[in-house]
Amino acid sequence: MIDLNKKPAFSRSSRPSSSDRNSTRNPSRKFSKENESKLVWKQNNSTPNIRMMTMRQGVSERVMHEQPCKILEKCGSCPSLDLAYKTQLQQKTADFKSRLLKAGDEFQRSIVKDCIESEEKFGYKHHVKMVASEHSGLKSSQFSNFANPKRWIDLGVYNQSSNEVVDTGRCPIQTNVMNDISAYIRTGIRVHNVSVYTPKQKDGLLHCVILRSSHYTRQAQVTFVVTKADLNLLRPFARDISEKFMNIQGVFMQVASPDQNEEKQEQELKLLVGQDLIEEKYSDIILKFSAASFMPTNTLMARRIYNRIEELAELTGKETVIDLYCGAGGVSLALARSSREVIGVDNSSFAIKDAIRNAKSNNISNVGFYEGESSNIISKLIEEKRIYKADVIVMNPPKNGCGMNTIEQIKKLEPKAVLYLSSFFSSMLKDLKSFAVHGYTPVIFEPFDTFPGTDNYEVLCYLVKN
Ligand SMILES: C[S@@+](CC[C@H](N)C(=O)[O-])C[C@H]1O[C@@H](n2cnc3c(N)ncnc32)[C@H](O)[C@@H]1O
């Protein structure tokens, strides 16, 4: 139960200094007997970011961070941001174990490792899609007479219960680069007189803004998702943003219907200003991503996962590896160094173009990339006698998983190991059950905390042929 109207836990003057902030974790200090059976939020109204949660055992590990979030509950995207990080990791490990327990007998003998921590707990998110919304001044009806005629622009996420857009302001899990750019865009929308899409009237131009930034180069990409191509309006706006931020590589326009399913949205992007590519580094591999191809959200964790995949694959230099759903080639290029040949497959022409370019720029020649649906490409490669067998298959499918057809094709290649990475656990476990039917045992599950503060994480499963 959450009670936000409770008295403040402590006033600004009694707020612990950073040196004794850890003392708020001491169960005996701030906890009184009456609270023992309740679970309540205590919030200081004058300093809304100071929050503690008390419960049966005393003051919990919910503590103030150096970079607090002002809209934690309103936004709802980061339900565990104010939990001690160790607790977040324990919760994710426990969550995955309980999913496996419920999933069935196939997984009862698998080893589940502890969730691996993210090197960055804040500012790790390098990719965000922000919904645009506007209203005029004060929102509350009781103030309607004094409503500010100035346009007020929100950029953020949908609140799941009210369906209203919550402005995420300077989001602590996003990179500073993206926070700076989004602040400028909020003002720019007004200055450049760009209309914002309203679902009620089904009218307006801009409905989303997509931002990406690179960890190593700090380069950024901006995409305006709009209802129609209004270049006269968007080009000067794009020029303005890219002149303000020299690290912006390119500003794009994507025309898409706001009602359209995100996965079905046309990926065609029009470059308004600058150039197409953003550069990122994973260990000693430098990748360039076009705006339309997938780029990992947490760079440092992606690097860690690539390294772990390489370790688990135990390559000796003689193997044929297939990297399904390869994106811009991160895993493929990481594994090419220690295998005979890597074949990457992705259904996005942009991702495959990026992957081919990345192989060249990293001087890696023992890779081949194929554009198309995974099961079709494997079946074609077998039919054309391009491959007979594969030693290791790596796969990182989207939300719906890989499905039965792909697993049947994989089986024909008789890999001795399969490495399956996903953050979509229901499709992942369904696919792993199908793998089990085809003689592949899930030996180890390794959760990685790619999204600290949120409920999300990724899991790498290592399967071996029986
Ligand atoms: C999660 S990303 C994988 C990223 C990649 N492993 C990396 O580390 O950058 C999923 C990829 O699957 C691709 N994809 C989606 N459906 C596909 C399908 N049916 N067949 C092949 N590729 C697909 C997408 O284009 C996307 O690049």
Side-chain angles (χ1 to χ4, degrees), residues 289 294 296 306 323 325-328 330-331 345-348 351 372-374 396-398:
F289 297 87
F294 175 90
Y306 296 169
D323 177 17
Y325 314 92
C326 65
V331 176
V345 180
D346 201 288
N347 70 354
S348 154
E373 204 279 321
S374 285
N396 182 194

Side-chain angles (χ1 to χ4, degrees), residues 103-238:
D105 292 340
E106 291 87 345
F107 309 114
Q108 302 319 321
R109 294 175 63 193
S110 311
I111 297 164
V112 182
K113 295 275 193 84
D114 287 341
C115 189
I116 292 159
E117 71 175 294
S118 171
E119 281 158 68
E120 296 170 312
K121 282 74 182 171
F122 298 98
Y124 62 83
K125 193 174 174 183
H126 287 274
H127 179 197
V128 67
K129 185 169 188 176
M130 304 171 98
V131 187
S133 162
E134 85 168 88
H135 56 94
S136 49
L138 299 162
K139 266 184 175 172
S140 164
S141 58
Q142 70 187 85
F143 295 120
S144 58
N145 292 342
F146 311 103
N148 183 350
K150 195 170 91 167
R151 294 175 69 201
W152 190 270
I153 306 297
D154 289 330
L155 278 183
V157 292
Y158 276 115
N159 176 313
Q160 281 162 5
S161 46
S162 68
N163 226 10
E164 265 184 36
V165 174
V166 178
D167 190 289
T168 40
R170 286 195 78 80
C171 170
I173 65 167
Q174 277 173 208
T175 62
N176 277 334
V177 169
M178 297 198 315
N179 280 331
D180 291 344
I181 296 172
S182 63
Y184 194 72
I185 290 177
R186 281 181 189 88
T187 313
I189 291 171
R190 282 207 316 258
V191 172
H192 290 271
N193 227 354
V194 176
S195 63
V196 170
Y197 180 78
T198 48
K200 266 189 197 157
Q201 274 105 42
K202 297 207 177 296
D203 191 27
L205 182 67
L206 181 77
H207 56 95
C208 286
V209 175
I210 300 172
L211 300 176
R212 294 217 289 207
S213 69
S214 152
H215 178 85
Y216 281 97
T217 62
R218 304 286 191 262
Q219 292 172 347
Q221 274 171 342
V222 178
T223 302
F224 299 131
V225 188
V226 289
T227 49
K228 61 174 193 281
D230 190 338
L231 295 176
N232 290 340
L233 200 60
L234 293 174
R235 268 225 170 94
F237 186 18

Side-chain angles (χ1 to χ4, degrees), residues 378-420:
I378 304 177
S379 134
K380 245 189 207 159
L381 292 175
I382 297 172
E383 211 178 283
E384 290 171 6
K385 301 192 181 356
R386 166 76 173 79
I387 48 168
Y388 302 93
K389 284 200 170 206
D391 300 283
V392 178
I393 305 266
V394 182
M395 55 201 305
N396 182 194
K399 202 172 181 175
N400 293 338
C402 68
M404 204 54 196
N405 287 348
T406 304
I407 294 170
E408 273 163 12
Q409 294 302 327
I410 289 173
K411 199 195 164 201
K412 292 182 190 164
L413 298 170
E414 298 177 3
K416 57 180 190 301
V418 175
L419 288 142
Y420 190 122

Side-chain angles (χ1 to χ4, degrees), residues 80-92:
S80 47
L81 192 70
D82 59 351
L83 277 178
Y85 190 57
K86 205 174 119 209
T87 311
Q88 293 185 32
L89 293 175
Q90 285 166 349
Q91 281 189 352
K92 288 180 182 183

